[in-house]
Amino acid sequence: MWINTSAEKDEAVSGMKDLTRSSDSEVQVVSMDTLRNKTNPWVLYETEVPHSRFCDPGCGVSPAEKLSPEQLKLLRDAFTVTPRAGEPQIHEDRPSGRRRKNRGGNEERGMTFEEFLQVLRTVIGPDIEDTWVERFFSEVDISCTGQVRWQQLCSYLLLEYTERERASIPTAALLDSQPQITHCSHNKREPTVRVVAVSHPPPLRYISVSKGGQITVWNSGLHILKTVGLAGDPTEEVANTRRFRGWTTDAVYMGNVHKVAIATDCRELHFLDVSTANVFEDVHLFGFRSVPTALCYWHDVQHPESPPLLLLGDEKGGVHLMWFLNPSKGLFNNPSKKQNGPHRIFFPDLSEHSKTVSHRYIPNIHQEPINRLMFEPSTSDIMTSSESDTSSVIFLNLTLGSRLPYVWKIKQGAKCFDYSAPLQLMVTGGCDRAVRLWTRFVTTRPVATLLGHCATILDVAIYPPVGQIFSYSRDAELRVWDISTHQCLKTLRLQFPCLQPGRIPEHGNFPFLFLSPPLPVETRPHLVVGCKDYLARLHLAESGRGRGGWLTNEQREFGPEIGVVLSCALYNPTLRQVVTGHADSSVSLWDVETGRRRLQILNAHGEDELLCMTLDSTHRRLFTGARNGTIKQVWNLLNGLNLHKMEPVSNSEVTKLTCLHDNKLLAVGWSQRVVQYDIGAAKDLYVRADMSWKSGGVHKSDILAVCQCPALGVVATASHDGEVVIWRLETQGPLLHLQREGQAGVVPPVDGLLFLQHRAANRKLRNRGILVSSQAGCLCFWSVTGETHTYGEFYAPEQPGARVLSLSSDQPENTILVSGDTSGWLQIWDISHYALDVQHEVSWCEIKTTKKDFRHMYSMSSLSTQSVGERPTLLQSWKAHERGVVSVEVLDVAERLFVLTASADGAAGLWTRDGDHVGSFGQEVMWNITDAAAYQSRETQNDLREDTEEEGRTESDGVGASKVKPQQTAQEEASRTSPAENHHEQPQQPMYVCEDFYQTVASSHRRGRLSDDIDHSNHC
């Protein structure tokens, strides 16, 4: 976690505000009222889960930590020049373009990196590292102007201090915004007094006890398994039925003997056997002198032979202690004769069971009934509470006389308490609506008093793994408090159906069942809350969830949790980093040369799925889009600071983003509009949407893809109905509509778009096929400026019925095209001469297949030389992933071409253009991308092993194992091998699918989602 103390942070923030005010910084704190309209477009940001960032310690100490307030003042003086009498306003040795005045009349000048380095050496010390200063300069100069000003430095430091202050506040351990609520239908509208968890026999079960004595057994999913009722007095048997006619007061699970003990106001104790699925009552202990009101049970897990202890607090303030001497043979002596029903034992006769149970009574501990009872084995302390002002909580040692009891006196007493031995902390709650924290040995004054509840507090619980406290009040309000800061982290009003306006719902005596570590296998921490005849279950985090810190070794060396779907990935050539976006709304930055993680951001869009991302024109900032319609220019990629949030135009998916050269962001998605955001002119956190594009009604379906071509000044968008629209940047209006012919009016959706930038910039080639679209596995080459728009198309995937989700090319040359499909295969095509001449057009209905020969591939030699469906030369093809390839990009690193892939199987890999696997981002062993021999030798060994194996090996043997050899030409391959012999090695020929297949694609495709392989919605 960050090393700043709260006092240091407060001092730094206060100092920065003073420095900013004195230098007339233009940093603005935007009032939300000025941005809201009647529908409040920013509410999506206000309600989302805050993000967390984790940085690589190798980047060094942050400037926000390194710079003291005194050093900041020296920096301010270095940036500002106060003119003296008779001195010119602008010095001759400083270009006037790098100076400006603030309101105080002082001149604010910009500094180049060399000047900035010299100033920091003066302010901090001469031994400061140049690399640290260079990173500091780059983080401030986010627009890459080559100089920084004091205003920019203030903006950066204020953001950093604010982020660190926010990150220091822990996140509530509650994982649910609203819990699962279940109705206890057999309670007969009576409240649930207690819920206990039964772990034997596995799996976990719950047993709830209603006020009227109804026992309900639940499975781990809170579904009813069995219901039984407590047995009543046999002397009151009517019609062979002994109905229980009292109220239950408490219940406890006796884990080592697999029984549940239930206390009642009839001065009885019922023991239920829960060792099997057939729950039944086997012992009935009756005739106590007073009503037992609270129960507690302890047994020594480390020494099972030690007698377990059952404690009963009663209405007169006393405590019964019962040690079971031989629990494996029974809690009490076996009955002398067979009884009809449970074994009934009269409490005054308990001495007759001295061989199996030992009893002791401690009277008058409290003047009021005991409402809570705990036992601390490490100190042999009995802990009790009552609503007495003079004896609210008492810690009494079991060996009376060893030391005086500890007595806490609280006005109006304590209705509930909890104690944590590791923390030496006690928490109390009661009718005065205050939660109090007490240390173990100080009874006169609480450590803290937490206010906020508006009704009587019914239960409290300490959660040591995360250092938090849970409190619950009579008005069904649950609050989560941080122990160290005493702040309320979360307030949750549980929406029980029994709640009525103006009425306080009825509760049992013990609303909480709190399950925290250690827990049975496959059981996660959770909290069950009872309100009248309803139960609510809330899942809890297993460890503290801070909002930032350093990447640990585990986070740095291993990727995201297995099974987390990747939504998109891209390469940043300036920082030489790979950025991966995940469906769980996390973003990771990786060093492409080693595979090491440099930055991780969790909950980038709260809990909504991240779908797409793009870089700005300087490659220093990252934009991300989410399923709920939010867009964030979230990251300064050097430090993970959140810079801007874009105004959502709808709460539907943002499917694609692209950033123009002047830092204007274009967003498309299910809104069916092209939305623009001017990032270059943005000075506030919130950026308004610019709806100036004439896109209303142009697309009739959801937009799934967008791509720009700076050389031609156009942008292409594609929608679910198969339409491609070319837009002119200058007019922000549509220029051209392109659409392939479908069969029976069914046109498959466009999954991806790619402009061939080298061709577009070449005057001789810009009228040829420069735009590539993928539809139902077919790659179509389009001209957007020539007289003829269709320049060729072919079926690319290795498997029939697959679709191409991602496209990329070596943009400086456009000699290769890389495609990734839904079956996890990657293809590299030689397009250096492809789609430069118009192909002979053949409509889809001219060539058909029947269902019987659905998998048949037509030979290109049977068609004309330049006919529809002719493939370019296939250079390489291999199975890169187990599931669909959602992103692919060609990288130029260390003077070699590599291919970046990201898949729905959760893996992001780096490959050579020959198919050698460099590594997967997140793997344990780092790589050296300049050492080609390392990964090539591994691939050579794999190829040698493959050559010795049997023919006919299927691709299920492993990802990357099935590799297609380079293709010479279609005619050469056809003449060299037969189709049967070439099944695993020769790339498949173009497939023309029948009308039935088109209808299948249309019916199975769910509005831009992948129906056959990927179960998440993205087209990145």
Side-chain angles (χ1 to χ4, degrees):
M1 293 298 293
W2 306 116
I3 63 175
N4 297 69
T5 63
S6 59
E8 290 172 340
K9 283 184 287 192
D10 292 342
E11 180 184 2
V13 173
S14 176
M16 279 305 305
K17 289 180 179 177
D18 293 339
L19 293 173
T20 304
R21 192 179 299 112
S22 65
S23 65
D24 186 33
S25 171
E26 297 180 6
V27 178
Q28 301 180 27
V29 179
V30 181
S31 171
M32 288 299 298
D33 292 335
T34 64
L35 296 176
R36 288 176 176 167
N37 55 25
K38 293 181 180 180
T39 58
N40 186 12
W42 315 108
V43 69
L44 292 173
Y45 295 111
E46 297 170 5
T47 57
E48 71 182 12
V49 176
H51 71 271
S52 310
R53 61 171 183 160
F54 298 86
C55 304
D56 187 352
C59 298
V61 179
S62 168
E65 297 181 43
K66 197 177 187 71
L67 293 173
S68 66
E70 292 74 17
Q71 292 171 335
L72 288 174
K73 292 178 181 178
L74 294 175
L75 266 179
R76 180 196 60 186
D77 295 339
F79 273 98
T80 57
V81 179
T82 304
R84 299 178 181 177
E87 289 187 358
Q89 293 285 332
I90 305 298
H91 296 273
E92 294 181 358
D93 60 338
R94 302 289 185 193
S96 59
R98 280 163 43 198
R99 291 196 179 190
R100 63 176 64 184
K101 287 186 179 181
N102 58 28
R103 293 179 183 176
N106 299 331
E107 294 174 9
E108 183 181 330
R109 65 186 182 88
M111 289 187 186
T112 62
F113 171 71
E114 291 75 14
E115 294 172 326
F116 191 65
L117 176 61
Q118 294 302 321
V119 169
L120 284 183
R121 283 177 175 170
T122 302
V123 171
I124 299 178
D127 57 344
I128 189 171
E129 296 181 1
D130 291 1
T131 56
W132 184 87
V133 178
E134 183 178 2
R135 183 177 182 86
F136 185 11
F137 186 89
S138 299
E139 290 183 13
V140 177
D141 183 25
I142 191 64
S143 300
C144 297
T145 60
Q147 58 177 290
V148 297
R149 293 182 291 106
W150 176 244
Q151 171 193 330
Q152 293 174 298
L153 184 60
C154 287
S155 300
Y156 162 76
L157 290 175
L158 279 174
L159 279 173
E160 187 70 41
Y161 286 135
T162 302
E163 177 73 13
R164 288 171 180 270
E165 185 176 18
R166 185 190 66 83
S168 65
I169 301 174
T171 305
L174 287 178
L175 300 180
D176 304 298
S177 57
Q178 274 299 327
Q180 171 192 352
I181 296 179
T182 304
H183 183 220
C184 304
S185 56
H186 296 273
N187 275 23
K188 300 177 181 178
R189 298 187 179 181
E190 293 173 344
T192 299
V193 172
R194 172 79 89 168
V195 181
V196 298
V198 177
S199 56
H200 183 85
L204 180 73
R205 292 175 294 160
Y206 305 100
I207 294 181
S208 65
V209 180
S210 75
K211 186 177 180 180
Q214 194 68 28
I215 294 98
T216 305
V217 183
W218 311 77
N219 65 9
S220 58
L222 281 182
H223 297 288
I224 296 177
L225 299 176
K226 184 181 181 62
T227 60
V228 294
L230 287 180
D233 191 332
T235 62
E236 300 180 1
E237 182 173 334
V238 178
N240 297 325
T241 301
R242 288 183 292 173
R243 181 182 176 186
F244 176 69
R245 298 183 180 278
W247 302 121
T248 61
T249 57
D250 196 7
V252 68
Y253 175 55
M254 306 168 68
N256 63 327
V257 293
H258 313 302
K259 297 183 185 299
V260 171
I262 302 175
T264 75
D265 65 352
C266 301
R267 297 180 295 166
E268 301 171 337
L269 198 60
H270 299 254
F271 293 88
L272 275 70
D273 190 305
V274 295
S275 60
T276 64
N278 186 24
V279 177
F280 61 93
E281 183 178 347
D282 63 349
V283 178
H284 183 183
L285 184 61
F286 66 97
F288 285 90
R289 293 182 177 88
S290 55
V291 175
T293 55
L295 300 178
C296 178
Y297 184 78
W298 170 83
H299 67 279
D300 194 337
V301 179
Q302 303 297 330
H303 304 88
E305 68 280 0
S306 299
L309 174 63
L310 177 65
L311 301 95
L312 297 84
D314 62 26
E315 62 179 347
K316 294 184 178 180
V319 174
H320 294 268
L321 297 96
M322 301 172 66
W323 286 271
F324 298 101
L325 306 180
N326 196 358
S328 60
K329 294 185 178 180
L331 302 181
F332 305 95
N333 294 343
N334 293 325
S336 56
K337 59 180 180 179
K338 186 176 181 181
Q339 298 182 6
N340 184 19
H343 179 198
R344 289 176 55 83
I345 301 173
F346 188 44
F347 180 74
D349 297 336
L350 197 61
S351 58
E352 299 177 4
H353 300 261
S354 58
K355 292 183 179 180
T356 55
V357 60
S358 174
H359 174 261
R360 176 183 171 187
Y361 182 67
I362 306 175
N364 303 321
I365 298 176
H366 293 268
Q367 287 75 44
E368 298 285 343
I370 292 176
N371 52 33
R372 288 291 190 279
L373 182 60
M374 294 182 66
F375 179 70
E376 176 51 49
S378 62
T379 56
S380 298
D381 281 340
I382 302 169
M383 308 173 186
T384 57
S385 67
S386 72
E387 295 187 54
S388 170
D389 291 353
T390 58
S391 58
S392 304
V393 180
I394 295 179
F395 283 15
L396 177 67
N397 193 265
L398 190 58
T399 57
L400 298 178
S402 62
R403 65 170 183 262
L404 293 176
Y406 288 89
V407 180
W408 284 264
K409 300 178 182 180
I410 305 171
K411 188 177 180 180
Q412 301 184 48
K415 201 166 186 65
C416 54
F417 81 95
D418 192 19
Y419 176 74
S420 170
L423 300 179
Q424 294 286 291
L425 177 70
M426 181 179 70
V427 180
T428 62
C431 296
D432 63 353
R433 301 171 292 181
V435 177
R436 292 181 174 86
L437 279 62
W438 308 81
T439 59
R440 169 68 174 81
F441 302 105
V442 179
T443 63
T444 56
R445 186 168 56 184
V447 175
T449 301
L450 312 180
L451 302 177
H453 280 290
C454 300
T456 299
I457 297 173
L458 300 180
D459 219 339
V460 292
I462 302 173
Y463 191 22
V466 298
Q468 294 176 12
I469 297 168
F470 294 81
S471 62
Y472 178 74
S473 56
R474 195 182 296 277
D475 56 357
E477 184 178 88
L478 179 67
R479 285 180 175 256
V480 186
W481 311 84
D482 181 61
I483 293 177
S484 58
T485 64
H486 307 153
Q487 291 182 332
C488 181
L489 304 178
K490 192 168 187 175
T491 301
L492 184 61
R493 175 83 173 184
L494 300 180
Q495 301 298 323
F496 290 106
C498 58
L499 296 180
Q500 297 181 13
R503 293 188 178 182
I504 299 296
E506 186 179 3
H507 288 81
N509 298 335
F510 307 90
F512 274 1
L513 167 63
F514 197 85
L515 294 183
S516 61
L519 292 169
V521 179
E522 298 183 358
T523 302
R524 298 289 180 262
H526 60 279
L527 172 66
V528 178
V529 184
C531 176
K532 201 175 180 181
D533 54 345
Y534 286 90
L535 296 178
R537 184 173 61 175
L538 301 101
H539 296 89
L540 307 177
E542 297 187 53
S543 58
R545 299 189 301 157
R547 296 179 181 173
W550 298 117
L551 283 171
T552 63
N553 288 333
E554 180 179 356
Q555 289 171 311
R556 197 165 59 244
E557 294 176 1
F558 297 93
E561 184 180 352
I562 296 175
V564 177
V565 175
L566 268 167
S567 301
C568 46
L570 55 82
Y571 175 60
N572 186 332
T574 301
L575 301 180
R576 299 171 76 89
Q577 291 180 341
V578 167
V579 187
T580 56
H582 303 262
D584 65 350
S585 200
S586 64
V587 177
S588 292
L589 274 68
W590 312 83
D591 188 343
V592 72
E593 297 181 354
T594 63
R596 180 188 182 95
R597 177 151 40 192
R598 294 298 183 183
L599 179 69
Q600 184 181 33
I601 297 145
L602 305 179
N603 300 115
H605 290 264
E607 296 177 339
D608 285 281
E609 182 179 350
L610 186 150
L611 296 181
C612 56
M613 57 190 182
T614 190
L615 297 170
D616 76 336
S617 57
T618 66
H619 294 171
R620 296 284 184 87
R621 293 172 286 197
L622 178 73
F623 303 91
T624 56
R627 178 186 296 279
N628 65 347
T630 57
I631 306 170
K632 291 185 180 180
Q633 182 192 342
V634 180
W635 327 123
N636 175 335
L637 285 177
L638 295 172
N639 52 35
L641 287 177
N642 183 194
L643 303 177
H644 295 289
K645 298 178 181 180
M646 315 303 169
E647 178 186 11
V649 296
S650 70
N651 59 356
S652 57
E653 293 188 11
V654 177
T655 55
K656 278 293 187 179
L657 300 169
T658 187
C659 189
L660 307 180
H661 67 282
D662 55 354
N663 273 338
K664 287 185 173 61
L665 177 71
L666 299 184
V668 299
W670 286 16
S671 67
Q672 303 178 13
R673 302 284 298 270
V674 179
V675 184
Q676 179 174 291
Y677 300 90
D678 191 350
I679 306 304
K683 294 184 181 296
D684 301 328
L685 173 64
Y686 294 95
V687 180
R688 283 285 190 180
D690 179 359
M691 306 299 294
S692 60
W693 280 67
K694 307 175 183 66
S695 58
V698 176
H699 277 289
K700 303 299 188 298
S701 185
D702 302 335
I703 304 177
L704 305 181
V706 64
C707 190
Q708 62 167 308
C709 181
L712 298 182
V714 297
V715 171
T717 59
S719 56
H720 181 268
D721 58 6
E723 183 180 30
V724 178
V725 179
I726 309 299
W727 308 77
R728 190 186 295 276
L729 287 174
E730 184 179 1
T731 63
Q732 297 182 345
L735 176 68
L736 182 66
H737 292 255
L738 304 171
Q739 191 164 19
R740 293 176 59 232
E741 293 183 4
Q743 191 72 350
V746 178
V747 181
V750 177
D751 294 312
L753 290 174
L754 176 69
F755 270 111
L756 303 177
Q757 305 292 352
H758 171 70
R759 291 190 183 185
N762 189 317
R763 292 185 176 181
K764 296 181 179 179
L765 302 177
R766 63 175 49 178
N767 293 332
R768 312 298 175 85
I770 65 167
L771 175 64
V772 186
S773 67
S774 64
Q775 290 177 266
C778 269
L779 302 187
C780 309
F781 286 71
W782 306 90
S783 169
V784 300
T785 58
E787 296 181 359
T788 302
H789 299 303
T790 304
Y791 266 72
E793 59 184 52
F794 64 93
Y795 184 80
E798 291 294 325
Q799 304 297 327
R803 295 159 50 205
V804 173
L805 302 179
S806 50
L807 297 167
S808 185
S809 177
D810 57 332
Q811 292 295 8
E813 302 293 338
N814 290 149
T815 57
I816 63 173
L817 176 69
V818 182
S819 60
D821 61 37
T822 52
S823 59
W825 278 77
L826 206 68
Q827 302 88 22
I828 300 182
W829 310 91
D830 181 1
I831 60 166
S832 55
H833 301 289
Y834 188 79
L836 299 181
D837 296 318
V838 179
Q839 291 188 357
H840 169 67
E841 295 187 4
V842 180
S843 66
W844 283 90
C845 58
E846 288 185 41
I847 304 178
K848 298 182 179 179
T849 63
T850 64
K851 293 182 180 179
K852 182 177 180 180
D853 57 352
F854 179 77
R855 296 178 177 270
H856 176 66
M857 304 301 165
Y858 286 91
S859 171
M860 288 188 295
S861 60
S862 64
L863 304 176
S864 59
T865 305
Q866 287 277 331
S867 62
V868 173
E870 180 179 345
R871 285 183 167 192
T873 302
L874 180 61
L875 301 177
Q876 291 288 345
S877 180
W878 69 91
K879 187 173 177 61
H881 296 279
E882 293 290 350
R883 299 183 64 189
V885 181
V886 295
S887 288
V888 65
E889 187 168 348
V890 178
L891 321 180
D892 188 353
V893 183
E895 299 181 351
R896 294 191 62 192
L897 289 184
F898 295 88
V899 179
L900 167 68
T901 61
S903 169
D905 61 12
L910 191 65
W911 313 77
T912 68
R913 63 174 294 174
D914 298 324
D916 299 328
H917 189 209
V918 178
S920 296
F921 293 97
Q923 68 182 31
E924 183 174 357
V925 180
M926 301 295 103
W927 63 74
N928 182 0
I929 201 170
T930 60
D931 185 11
Y935 43 84
Q936 284 180 341
S937 63
R938 293 197 304 267
E939 192 67 25
T940 301
Q941 293 173 4
N942 291 338
D943 291 341
L944 290 175
R945 285 196 299 267
E946 289 175 9
D947 291 340
T948 62
E949 294 178 355
E950 297 181 324
E951 294 184 1
R953 172 181 166 190
T954 63
E955 62 185 45
S956 62
D957 292 332
V959 172
S962 301
K963 184 183 292 185
V964 176
K965 294 182 179 179
Q967 175 184 353
Q968 303 299 323
T969 65
Q971 290 81 359
E972 292 173 354
E973 289 289 334
S975 61
R976 189 163 51 88
T977 59
S978 65
E981 295 170 346
N982 199 27
H983 179 69
H984 290 287
E985 294 185 348
Q986 183 178 346
Q988 297 170 341
Q989 299 300 326
M991 179 185 69
Y992 297 89
V993 294
C994 61
E995 177 179 348
D996 292 341
F997 174 68
Y998 275 109
Q999 294 172 346
T1000 302
V1001 169
S1003 62
S1004 62
H1005 194 291
R1006 295 182 292 111
R1007 288 179 61 84
R1009 286 176 166 78
L1010 308 183
S1011 58
D1012 54 351
D1013 182 77
I1014 302 175
D1015 56 4
H1016 70 290
S1017 299
N1018 69 80
H1019 294 270
C1020 300

